Amino acid sequence: VAPRRIVVVGASLAGLRAAETLRRRGFDGELTIVGAERHAPYDRPPLSKQLLAGTVEQSACALRRSPDLDATWRLGTAATALDPARGRLRLADGAELRFDGLVLATGCAPRRWPGELPAGVHVLRGLDDALALRTDALGARRVAVLGAGFIGCEVAATLRRAGVAVALIDVLPHPLAPLGPVLGGLCARIHAEEGVELHLSRRVAAFEGAPRLTAIRLDDGTRVEADVALLALGAVADVRWLAGSGLRLEDGVVTDAWCFADARRRIVCAGDVAVFPHPLAGERPVAIRHWSNAVEQAAAAAGNLLAPEDERRRYEPVPSFWSDQYDVRIQSVGLPERAQTLELVEGSLETRRLVALGHRAGRLVGAIAFNSAAGIAAPRRQLAEQLQRTTAAADAHVASA
Ligand SMILES: Cc1cc2nc3c(=O)[nH]c(=O)nc-3n(C[C@H](O)[C@H](O)[C@H](O)COP(=O)(O)OP(=O)(O)OC[C@H]3O[C@@H](n4cnc5c(N)ncnc54)[C@H](O)[C@@H]3O)c2cc1C
C-alpha cells in the first residue's frame, strides 16, 4: 500500500532531496520534515572553504528548495525515539508524529574529544560551528588543526590562504588516509610548501591553557603554540536515539541494497547516516559520506519508498568526492581506499596534475585525480559499467530465486 503520511528526519541535503523526490514522484499525502538544527537546509562544503574564508556569507550556503514542496517543517526539534511497529516518531518537544513512510537522513556529528577542553577549541560540522570557528580563527595568532583528513586539510588550506599561521597534526604518517602514502605524501608536501607546520605520526598528549588554549603538547614533548584549535577527527553517526527501535545500528543505520532499514519496508535511510551494501566494498556494508552520495541515495531511497516491490531499484552508485585545497582540486571515484595497488597513469606529482587508478584483485575499484576533471571521467565510466553488470547479475539472481 502506498504511504499517505511520510516523515523525513534530518532537514539537510539528503532529507531535502528525498522530500523533493517524493513530490516529484507524485506523492500527494502529508509530508513533514523534522530537523534538529534551527536553520533551513544549507550546504556544508562551503563551511570549510568559502564561508570560512569569508568570501561568501551564510545566505549563499542555503540549499535551493523546490517551491512546490508543500511540507510541514519542524526545525530546531530533534527526533528522540522511534517505534517502527506503531509508526510513531517522538520529538524533543514531546510531540508524537504518526507515519506510514519514514526517511532517516540524520547525517553525522563530529567526533569529540573526551573530557573538558579550554576555550578556543572547535569542531566543524554545522553552520554555527563554522561561524564560531571563523570568528576565532581569522584573528588567531596560530591555529592548530588536529586531524589531517579532508576537512582538516581544507581548513588548513583556507586559513593559510587567509594569512593565518597553521599547524596540522595527525597520528598517521601522511594526510588524507584514503589516498594512500604516495598521494597523501604529496598532500603533505603541498601543505608544507604553503607554509603549514606539519606534525605527523604524533598524538596529542595535552591541551594547555585555562580558560583559553595556549598550546598543544604532543607525545614527543613538542609544544605547539596555538590560541585556536580545530578538532577534525572525523564524523560519527549519532544513532543513540534509535536504540530500542529494532533497526540494525552500526556507525549509522544499516540498510539493504534498496535503502530499506526495516523488514516491513516502510523506513528508508539516505546520506551520511546510511550504512549499506556496495559491490565495491566487499562483504561489509559501508557508509559513503560524500555530498553526491547524499543527493543520489536520497533520490533512490525516496523512489523505492513509493515504488511497488517489482519496480524498486538497487542503489549501487559510483561513489564520488571532491576536495579543494589551495589551487588543487582532488577528486575521487569508486572506493580507492580499497585498492591494493595505486598506479599513476597520467600527469606527475611535481605538476600537481595527475590521475591514479586503484585496483584490487585485478579489478578497478577507484581512481583519484588532482586537477584533472577530464582524467577522472574515464575511470568513472568504467566503474559505472562494471557496476551495471554486477547489479544486473544480482537482479537476475533475485528474480530466479
Ligand atoms: C565542513 C564540511 C565540508 C564538506 N565538504 C565536502 C566536499 O568538499 N565534498 C563532498 O563530497 N562532501 C563534503 N562534505 C560532506 C557532505 O557535506 C555530507 O556528505 C552531506 O552533508 C551529507 O548530507 P546528509 O543530509 O546525509 O547529512 P547532514 O548534512 O549531516 O545533515 C543531517 C541533518 O540531520 C539533523 N539531525 C541529526 N539528528 C537528528 C535527529 N535525531 N532529529 C532531527 N534531525 C537530526 C542534523 O542536525 C543535520 O542537520 C563536507 C562536510 C562538512 C561538514
Side-chain angles (χ1 to χ4, degrees), residues 27 67 69 107 166 187 197 208 221 237 316 325 364 369 372-373:
F27 172 68
L69 204 53
V166 177
C187 284
E197 184 184 296
E208 294 183 358
E316 293 179 343
Q325 299 172 32
L364 183 70
S372 183

Side-chain angles (χ1 to χ4, degrees), residues 50-365:
Q50 301 88 338
L51 184 98
L52 181 61
T55 54
V56 306
E57 279 311 320
Q58 182 172 336
S59 56
C61 302
L63 284 170
R64 255 190 301 126
R65 282 194 264 170
S66 153
D68 314 317
L69 204 53
D70 187 20
T72 303
W73 293 83
R74 308 283 298 243
L75 297 178
T77 317
T80 52
L82 171 68
D83 183 342
R86 291 176 57 238
R88 296 281 202 282
L89 183 77
R90 182 168 295 279
L91 306 189
D93 61 7
E96 199 173 67
L97 303 182
R98 290 199 297 146
F99 67 84
D100 52 13
L102 184 73
V103 180
L104 291 174
T106 49
C108 276
R111 182 172 282 120
R112 305 224 170 226
W113 193 269
E116 281 276 300
L117 290 173
V121 182
H122 294 256
V123 292
L124 176 56
R125 180 75 197 179
L127 188 52
D128 296 334
D129 300 332
L131 294 172
L133 176 65
R134 181 170 84 181
T135 303
D136 242 15
L138 291 183
R141 272 184 294 117
R142 197 191 219 184
V143 177
V145 177
L146 276 53
F150 283 100
I151 289 177
C153 284
E154 287 186 355
V155 167
T158 302
L159 293 179
R160 277 307 299 140
R161 281 282 150 106
V164 178
V166 177
L168 184 58
I169 302 164
D170 202 291
V171 290
L172 296 176
H174 58 80
L176 304 177
L179 301 193
V182 174
L183 297 183
L186 173 59
C187 284
R189 235 173 33 234
I190 292 171
H191 281 281
E193 281 169 17
E194 298 283 348
V196 171
E197 184 184 296
L198 289 159
H199 297 272
L200 298 171
S201 304
R202 289 283 163 263
R203 281 178 189 281
V204 171
F207 293 85
E208 294 183 358
R212 196 175 173 92
L213 181 74
T214 52
I216 288 171
R217 200 150 34 74
L218 304 182
D219 55 357
D220 64 345
T222 306
R223 194 167 173 277
V224 180
E225 283 193 21
D227 49 344
V228 174
L230 172 69
L231 299 177
L233 307 172
V236 286
D238 185 357
V239 289
R240 287 171 297 183
W241 69 278
L242 291 168
S245 66
L247 300 189
R248 194 174 145 210
L249 306 176
E250 286 187 6
D251 176 24
V253 179
V254 181
T255 74
D256 63 16
W258 295 265
C259 311
F260 285 101
D262 65 329
R264 297 172 71 181
R265 304 199 143 190
R266 298 202 304 182
I267 302 176
V268 289
C269 190
D272 281 13
V273 71
V275 178
F276 60 104
H278 192 287
L280 289 175
E283 294 301 302
R284 281 191 61 76
V286 282
I288 299 180
R289 292 179 170 152
H290 304 325
W291 192 94
S292 58
N293 183 63
V295 171
E296 292 166 17
Q297 194 169 24
N304 282 345
L305 186 61
L306 297 182
E309 194 174 339
D310 57 346
E311 288 174 27
R312 291 174 188 153
R313 319 236 342 220
R314 276 173 192 273
Y315 179 65
E316 293 179 343
V318 179
S320 78
F321 173 78
W322 83 95
S323 173
D324 294 325
Q325 299 172 32
Y326 311 105
D327 54 354
V328 181
R329 167 157 286 198
I330 302 171
Q331 286 172 285
S332 96
V333 293
L335 299 177
E337 61 272 33
R338 295 264 303 153
Q340 292 159 325
T341 60
L342 198 63
E343 182 198 359
L344 199 66
V345 292
E346 217 184 291
S348 70
L349 300 189
E350 289 67 37
T351 56
R352 299 185 180 183
R353 211 202 127 265
L354 59 87
V355 180
L357 300 183
H359 288 89
R360 186 182 180 91
R363 275 169 76 85
L364 183 70
V365 290

